Amino acid sequence: MTTDTAGRTTVARAIGATTAASGLGLVVAPRTALRLMGAPTPDPAPLLYRVVGMFMTVSGGLLLDGAEHRVVLRWSLAQKSGAVAGVGLGVLRGDYRKRALLVASFDAVSAVALARMLASPRPEAGR
């Protein structure tokens, strides 16, 4: 593995670890996450946030464990892009306050990093 490839893998794994950790936070404390994003917390929002958190934990864990595989990078890019769109739409609709865009910003930066990794040639072609 070249130094460049190792660096990309490290960045992807860091994104995965952060996604998994924030997903676990949603599983454990969905009301807190909703409050931080400025959303009202009517039921069933906390339950739904736990489900979202579980999927974030799984997708982040997959990226953490499989950052060298292009298919993992592609699906992680899809997840991050969807998160940006979802939170952005939530802010536009008034479901979240503008501070929720901080979450979308992390996902957007992550999506750009993952897209750049996918755009660059990799020695392990076909993965």
Side-chain angles (χ1 to χ4, degrees):
M1 188 180 316
T2 67
T3 303
D4 188 40
T5 303
R8 288 191 303 240
T9 300
T10 299
V11 169
R13 285 191 172 132
I15 293 168
T18 304
T19 301
S22 59
L24 281 173
L26 288 178
V27 170
V28 172
R31 289 181 192 279
T32 300
L34 284 163
R35 193 169 35 257
L36 287 172
M37 291 180 62
T41 56
D43 290 322
L47 173 62
L48 294 175
Y49 253 55
R50 281 191 169 107
V51 173
V52 169
M54 184 269 306
F55 281 105
M56 287 175 62
T57 302
V58 171
S59 67
L62 177 63
L63 184 57
L64 180 61
D65 192 42
E68 65 279 357
H69 299 283
R70 293 181 74 76
V71 68
V72 173
L73 295 175
R74 279 193 296 272
W75 281 106
S76 297
L77 174 58
Q79 183 266 327
K80 291 298 180 187
S81 299
V84 170
V87 173
L89 181 61
V91 170
L92 286 174
R93 290 174 28 123
D95 297 325
Y96 304 123
R97 292 194 183 128
K98 288 184 181 179
R99 65 181 174 222
L101 294 175
L102 292 173
V103 173
S105 296
F106 169 76
D107 287 328
V109 169
S110 297
V112 168
L114 292 167
R116 289 183 59 132
M117 288 175 215
L118 282 165
S120 64
R122 303 263 319 232
E124 305 89 15
R127 282 189 157 182

mmCIF file of all heavy atoms in Angstrom, residues 15-46:
data_model
loop_
_atom_site.group_PDB
_atom_site.id
_atom_site.type_symbol
_atom_site.label_atom_id
_atom_site.label_comp_id
_atom_site.label_asym_id
_atom_site.label_seq_id
_atom_site.Cartn_x
_atom_site.Cartn_y
_atom_site.Cartn_z
ATOM 1 N N ILE A 15 -13.712 9.062 8.906
ATOM 2 C CA ILE A 15 -15.103 9.389 8.586
ATOM 3 C C ILE A 15 -16.017 8.278 9.105
ATOM 4 O O ILE A 15 -17.057 8.540 9.709
ATOM 5 C CB ILE A 15 -15.296 9.603 7.073
ATOM 6 C CG1 ILE A 15 -14.560 10.861 6.610
ATOM 7 C CG2 ILE A 15 -16.783 9.685 6.702
ATOM 8 C CD1 ILE A 15 -14.448 10.997 5.103
ATOM 9 N N GLY A 16 -15.616 7.033 8.887
ATOM 10 C CA GLY A 16 -16.413 5.903 9.362
ATOM 11 C C GLY A 16 -16.549 5.892 10.871
ATOM 12 O O GLY A 16 -17.644 5.670 11.413
ATOM 13 N N ALA A 17 -15.456 6.133 11.569
ATOM 14 C CA ALA A 17 -15.500 6.137 13.031
ATOM 15 C C ALA A 17 -16.396 7.248 13.555
ATOM 16 O O ALA A 17 -17.191 7.040 14.487
ATOM 17 C CB ALA A 17 -14.080 6.290 13.591
ATOM 18 N N THR A 18 -16.311 8.428 12.949
ATOM 19 C CA THR A 18 -17.144 9.551 13.370
ATOM 20 C C THR A 18 -18.621 9.274 13.093
ATOM 21 O O THR A 18 -19.484 9.557 13.931
ATOM 22 C CB THR A 18 -16.701 10.838 12.650
ATOM 23 O OG1 THR A 18 -15.307 11.050 12.907
ATOM 24 C CG2 THR A 18 -17.490 12.041 13.130
ATOM 25 N N THR A 19 -18.901 8.695 11.933
ATOM 26 C CA THR A 19 -20.285 8.348 11.595
ATOM 27 C C THR A 19 -20.835 7.306 12.556
ATOM 28 O O THR A 19 -21.958 7.436 13.048
ATOM 29 C CB THR A 19 -20.367 7.841 10.142
ATOM 30 O OG1 THR A 19 -19.887 8.869 9.268
ATOM 31 C CG2 THR A 19 -21.798 7.474 9.760
ATOM 32 N N ALA A 20 -20.048 6.282 12.840
ATOM 33 C CA ALA A 20 -20.491 5.233 13.768
ATOM 34 C C ALA A 20 -20.722 5.803 15.163
ATOM 35 O O ALA A 20 -21.729 5.505 15.807
ATOM 36 C CB ALA A 20 -19.469 4.099 13.810
ATOM 37 N N ALA A 21 -19.800 6.643 15.624
ATOM 38 C CA ALA A 21 -19.941 7.222 16.966
ATOM 39 C C ALA A 21 -21.158 8.140 17.058
ATOM 40 O O ALA A 21 -21.912 8.082 18.035
ATOM 41 C CB ALA A 21 -18.668 7.995 17.334
ATOM 42 N N SER A 22 -21.373 8.971 16.038
ATOM 43 C CA SER A 22 -22.545 9.849 16.089
ATOM 44 C C SER A 22 -23.830 9.044 15.952
ATOM 45 O O SER A 22 -24.850 9.381 16.561
ATOM 46 C CB SER A 22 -22.460 10.956 15.033
ATOM 47 O OG SER A 22 -22.365 10.426 13.740
ATOM 48 N N GLY A 23 -23.789 7.950 15.190
ATOM 49 C CA GLY A 23 -24.951 7.066 15.108
ATOM 50 C C GLY A 23 -25.279 6.447 16.459
ATOM 51 O O GLY A 23 -26.447 6.380 16.859
ATOM 52 N N LEU A 24 -24.244 6.004 17.176
ATOM 53 C CA LEU A 24 -24.477 5.467 18.519
ATOM 54 C C LEU A 24 -25.070 6.524 19.439
ATOM 55 O O LEU A 24 -25.920 6.223 20.270
ATOM 56 C CB LEU A 24 -23.168 4.933 19.115
ATOM 57 C CG LEU A 24 -22.734 3.565 18.636
ATOM 58 C CD1 LEU A 24 -21.342 3.234 19.174
ATOM 59 C CD2 LEU A 24 -23.731 2.497 19.051
ATOM 60 N N GLY A 25 -24.621 7.768 19.259
ATOM 61 C CA GLY A 25 -25.194 8.862 20.040
ATOM 62 C C GLY A 25 -26.687 9.012 19.789
ATOM 63 O O GLY A 25 -27.462 9.253 20.717
ATOM 64 N N LEU A 26 -27.102 8.845 18.527
ATOM 65 C CA LEU A 26 -28.531 8.907 18.206
ATOM 66 C C LEU A 26 -29.294 7.740 18.820
ATOM 67 O O LEU A 26 -30.434 7.900 19.261
ATOM 68 C CB LEU A 26 -28.742 8.907 16.692
ATOM 69 C CG LEU A 26 -28.360 10.163 15.938
ATOM 70 C CD1 LEU A 26 -28.603 9.969 14.447
ATOM 71 C CD2 LEU A 26 -29.132 11.361 16.440
ATOM 72 N N VAL A 27 -28.667 6.575 18.844
ATOM 73 C CA VAL A 27 -29.319 5.401 19.431
ATOM 74 C C VAL A 27 -29.533 5.618 20.929
ATOM 75 O O VAL A 27 -30.606 5.351 21.466
ATOM 76 C CB VAL A 27 -28.483 4.127 19.184
ATOM 77 C CG1 VAL A 27 -29.019 2.952 19.994
ATOM 78 C CG2 VAL A 27 -28.466 3.774 17.695
ATOM 79 N N VAL A 28 -28.514 6.143 21.603
ATOM 80 C CA VAL A 28 -28.553 6.293 23.054
ATOM 81 C C VAL A 28 -29.355 7.523 23.495
ATOM 82 O O VAL A 28 -30.094 7.461 24.478
ATOM 83 C CB VAL A 28 -27.109 6.370 23.610
ATOM 84 C CG1 VAL A 28 -27.096 6.710 25.084
ATOM 85 C CG2 VAL A 28 -26.381 5.055 23.353
ATOM 86 N N ALA A 29 -29.220 8.625 22.768
ATOM 87 C CA ALA A 29 -29.847 9.879 23.209
ATOM 88 C C ALA A 29 -30.514 10.609 22.044
ATOM 89 O O ALA A 29 -30.114 11.719 21.675
ATOM 90 C CB ALA A 29 -28.795 10.767 23.865
ATOM 91 N N PRO A 30 -31.568 10.031 21.463
ATOM 92 C CA PRO A 30 -32.188 10.679 20.305
ATOM 93 C C PRO A 30 -32.822 12.026 20.627
ATOM 94 O O PRO A 30 -32.780 12.937 19.809
ATOM 95 C CB PRO A 30 -33.228 9.664 19.846
ATOM 96 C CG PRO A 30 -33.535 8.858 21.071
ATOM 97 C CD PRO A 30 -32.248 8.799 21.828
ATOM 98 N N ARG A 31 -33.399 12.169 21.797
ATOM 99 C CA ARG A 31 -34.025 13.455 22.152
ATOM 100 C C ARG A 31 -32.987 14.570 22.236
ATOM 101 O O ARG A 31 -33.242 15.695 21.806
ATOM 102 C CB ARG A 31 -34.789 13.333 23.463
ATOM 103 C CG ARG A 31 -36.047 12.505 23.347
ATOM 104 C CD ARG A 31 -36.789 12.444 24.699
ATOM 105 N NE ARG A 31 -37.822 11.440 24.695
ATOM 106 C CZ ARG A 31 -39.030 11.592 24.174
ATOM 107 N NH1 ARG A 31 -39.342 12.721 23.586
ATOM 108 N NH2 ARG A 31 -39.910 10.612 24.214
ATOM 109 N N THR A 32 -31.824 14.246 22.777
ATOM 110 C CA THR A 32 -30.746 15.231 22.866
ATOM 111 C C THR A 32 -30.300 15.646 21.467
ATOM 112 O O THR A 32 -30.109 16.830 21.189
ATOM 113 C CB THR A 32 -29.562 14.665 23.664
ATOM 114 O OG1 THR A 32 -30.014 14.328 24.977
ATOM 115 C CG2 THR A 32 -28.425 15.667 23.760
ATOM 116 N N ALA A 33 -30.128 14.661 20.578
ATOM 117 C CA ALA A 33 -29.718 14.964 19.200
ATOM 118 C C ALA A 33 -30.761 15.833 18.513
ATOM 119 O O ALA A 33 -30.417 16.810 17.834
ATOM 120 C CB ALA A 33 -29.496 13.672 18.418
ATOM 121 N N LEU A 34 -32.020 15.501 18.685
ATOM 122 C CA LEU A 34 -33.090 16.301 18.085
ATOM 123 C C LEU A 34 -33.073 17.729 18.631
ATOM 124 O O LEU A 34 -33.225 18.699 17.891
ATOM 125 C CB LEU A 34 -34.448 15.654 18.341
ATOM 126 C CG LEU A 34 -34.765 14.433 17.481
ATOM 127 C CD1 LEU A 34 -35.909 13.624 18.089
ATOM 128 C CD2 LEU A 34 -35.118 14.870 16.073
ATOM 129 N N ARG A 35 -32.884 17.846 19.948
ATOM 130 C CA ARG A 35 -32.853 19.171 20.581
ATOM 131 C C ARG A 35 -31.654 19.981 20.057
ATOM 132 O O ARG A 35 -31.785 21.165 19.767
ATOM 133 C CB ARG A 35 -32.794 19.012 22.100
ATOM 134 C CG ARG A 35 -33.068 20.271 22.862
ATOM 135 C CD ARG A 35 -33.265 20.070 24.374
ATOM 136 N NE ARG A 35 -32.468 19.030 25.003
ATOM 137 C CZ ARG A 35 -32.941 17.811 25.364
ATOM 138 N NH1 ARG A 35 -34.203 17.497 25.152
ATOM 139 N NH2 ARG A 35 -32.162 16.930 25.938
ATOM 140 N N LEU A 36 -30.483 19.339 19.917
ATOM 141 C CA LEU A 36 -29.297 20.034 19.415
ATOM 142 C C LEU A 36 -29.492 20.536 17.994
ATOM 143 O O LEU A 36 -28.927 21.557 17.606
ATOM 144 C CB LEU A 36 -28.072 19.120 19.474
ATOM 145 C CG LEU A 36 -27.513 18.858 20.862
ATOM 146 C CD1 LEU A 36 -26.429 17.782 20.808
ATOM 147 C CD2 LEU A 36 -26.964 20.139 21.473
ATOM 148 N N MET A 37 -30.283 19.816 17.212
ATOM 149 C CA MET A 37 -30.546 20.233 15.841
ATOM 150 C C MET A 37 -31.702 21.222 15.758
ATOM 151 O O MET A 37 -32.053 21.686 14.677
ATOM 152 C CB MET A 37 -30.812 19.014 14.963
ATOM 153 C CG MET A 37 -29.543 18.192 14.774
ATOM 154 S SD MET A 37 -29.738 16.748 13.759
ATOM 155 C CE MET A 37 -30.221 17.444 12.207
ATOM 156 N N GLY A 38 -32.308 21.518 16.911
ATOM 157 C CA GLY A 38 -33.368 22.509 16.943
ATOM 158 C C GLY A 38 -34.718 21.972 16.528
ATOM 159 O O GLY A 38 -35.603 22.738 16.155
ATOM 160 N N ALA A 39 -34.879 20.649 16.578
ATOM 161 C CA ALA A 39 -36.143 20.046 16.163
ATOM 162 C C ALA A 39 -37.063 19.855 17.362
ATOM 163 O O ALA A 39 -36.602 19.579 18.464
ATOM 164 C CB ALA A 39 -35.876 18.690 15.519
ATOM 165 N N PRO A 40 -38.356 19.998 17.143
ATOM 166 C CA PRO A 40 -39.285 19.602 18.205
ATOM 167 C C PRO A 40 -39.192 18.089 18.385
ATOM 168 O O PRO A 40 -38.762 17.389 17.476
ATOM 169 C CB PRO A 40 -40.656 20.017 17.667
ATOM 170 C CG PRO A 40 -40.477 20.102 16.198
ATOM 171 C CD PRO A 40 -39.034 20.435 15.946
ATOM 172 N N THR A 41 -39.537 17.585 19.525
ATOM 173 C CA THR A 41 -39.371 16.150 19.765
ATOM 174 C C THR A 41 -40.691 15.422 19.989
ATOM 175 O O THR A 41 -40.867 14.727 20.980
ATOM 176 C CB THR A 41 -38.444 15.907 20.977
ATOM 177 O OG1 THR A 41 -38.999 16.592 22.102
ATOM 178 C CG2 THR A 41 -37.041 16.369 20.716
ATOM 179 N N PRO A 42 -41.623 15.584 19.072
ATOM 180 C CA PRO A 42 -42.858 14.822 19.233
ATOM 181 C C PRO A 42 -42.603 13.346 18.959
ATOM 182 O O PRO A 42 -41.729 12.989 18.180
ATOM 183 C CB PRO A 42 -43.791 15.415 18.176
ATOM 184 C CG PRO A 42 -42.867 15.880 17.098
ATOM 185 C CD PRO A 42 -41.627 16.349 17.828
ATOM 186 N N ASP A 43 -43.357 12.499 19.620
ATOM 187 C CA ASP A 43 -43.248 11.070 19.297
ATOM 188 C C ASP A 43 -43.830 10.873 17.920
ATOM 189 O O ASP A 43 -44.764 11.556 17.536
ATOM 190 C CB ASP A 43 -44.011 10.244 20.344
ATOM 191 C CG ASP A 43 -43.299 10.283 21.689
ATOM 192 O OD1 ASP A 43 -42.066 10.262 21.672
ATOM 193 O OD2 ASP A 43 -43.975 10.363 22.717
ATOM 194 N N PRO A 44 -43.321 10.034 17.078
ATOM 195 C CA PRO A 44 -42.308 9.000 17.297
ATOM 196 C C PRO A 44 -40.900 9.413 16.900
ATOM 197 O O PRO A 44 -40.050 8.570 16.645
ATOM 198 C CB PRO A 44 -42.801 7.879 16.396
ATOM 199 C CG PRO A 44 -43.365 8.593 15.210
ATOM 200 C CD PRO A 44 -43.978 9.863 15.776
ATOM 201 N N ALA A 45 -40.597 10.721 16.843
ATOM 202 C CA ALA A 45 -39.280 11.179 16.390
ATOM 203 C C ALA A 45 -38.121 10.518 17.139
ATOM 204 O O ALA A 45 -37.172 10.074 16.501
ATOM 205 C CB ALA A 45 -39.198 12.700 16.479
ATOM 206 N N PRO A 46 -38.146 10.417 18.473
ATOM 207 C CA PRO A 46 -37.007 9.772 19.140
ATOM 208 C C PRO A 46 -36.801 8.318 18.701
ATOM 209 O O PRO A 46 -35.667 7.889 18.502
ATOM 210 C CB PRO A 46 -37.353 9.873 20.621
ATOM 211 C CG PRO A 46 -38.216 11.098 20.696
ATOM 212 C CD PRO A 46 -39.052 11.037 19.438
#
